[in-house]
Amino acid sequence: MNFFERILTLCENTLMIIGGICLFLLMALIVSDSGGRYLFNAPISGVYEISELYLMIAIVFLGLARTQRLKAHVRVELLLERLPVSAARALEVVFLLATIVVFLCITYVTARTGFNSIVLNRWTTGVVAIPTGPSWLIVSFGSGVFTLRLTFDALSIMLGRPPSGGVPDPTETTHSSELRT
């Protein structure tokens, strides 16, 4: 799994960089649009559509997998910290498997919708017409990579390894004294 993990990590890091670029572009577009609107009475057409359909979606979905690898998603560990390590690990696997099922569905449905939108040539009806298919594919791709990361983490926990390339197992932070002894 070491080779797979390196490829997945490279993909996650690349997607995070792309998401960061999208965040910068979103900021630049909004500042330019606001400046143009209030200083020159000439807003930039299509900023709302581009921001809504592409940039915000890319910012959110392209960063999901890396956030999972770094264990930076918000978690409530009230129950996990009171369970024995083995039960906490089993519950973590159950949670991961449930999340995998949900994100597999999201990946499939958004990919199908994206390809259908491209085939049917669907565009927005706003001020500036923008194709809708690619935005669905961004969601699908980000969700797909996130699903791969979740699968890797679930397999790592089931095999007794720390998930996500050396990042501590989530149960270690709550049971660190038990694991060190």
Side-chain angles (χ1 to χ4, degrees), residues 1-2 5-6 9 12 68-71 149 152-153 156-157 160-170 172-173:
M1 275 206 252
N2 203 7
E5 183 182 9
R6 279 186 296 210
T9 300
E12 292 165 349
Q68 174 66 23
R69 177 170 46 99
L70 298 177
K71 301 295 179 228
R149 173 51 67 186
F152 181 82
D153 285 354
S156 294
I157 292 171
R161 298 182 192 147
S164 303
V167 174
D169 186 330
E172 277 186 33
T173 58

Side-chain angles (χ1 to χ4, degrees), residues 135-154:
S135 63
W136 287 103
L137 295 179
I138 292 169
V139 173
S140 180
F141 189 71
S143 297
V145 175
F146 182 51
T147 303
L148 290 175
R149 173 51 67 186
L150 291 168
T151 304
F152 181 82
D153 285 354

Side-chain angles (χ1 to χ4, degrees), residues 5 26 33 45 50 59 61 64 86 93 96 100 138 181:
E5 183 182 9
L26 179 67
D33 184 48
S45 297
I50 292 169
I59 291 165
F61 283 93
L64 284 176
S86 59
V93 170
L96 287 170
I100 289 166
I138 292 169
T181 57

Side-chain angles (χ1 to χ4, degrees), residues 66-150:
R66 184 169 185 267
T67 306
Q68 174 66 23
R69 177 170 46 99
L70 298 177
K71 301 295 179 228
H73 288 293
V74 176
R75 297 170 49 108
V76 178
E77 296 183 343
L78 186 64
L79 178 62
L80 284 178
E81 65 189 17
R82 288 174 170 67
L83 293 175
V85 174
S86 59
R89 285 178 187 256
L91 197 54
E92 180 72 19
V93 170
V94 169
F95 291 154
L96 287 170
L97 292 175
T99 308
I100 289 166
V101 169
V102 169
F103 273 88
L104 273 175
C105 292
I106 291 170
T107 301
Y108 172 74
V109 170
T110 55
R112 187 181 67 195
T113 304
F115 287 121
N116 286 341
S117 295
I118 290 170
V119 168
L120 297 173
N121 200 24
R122 292 188 177 147
W123 292 64
T124 62
T125 56
V127 176
V128 175
I130 298 174
T132 60
S135 63
W136 287 103
L137 295 179
I138 292 169
V139 173
S140 180
F141 189 71
S143 297
V145 175
F146 182 51
T147 303
L148 290 175
R149 173 51 67 186
L150 291 168

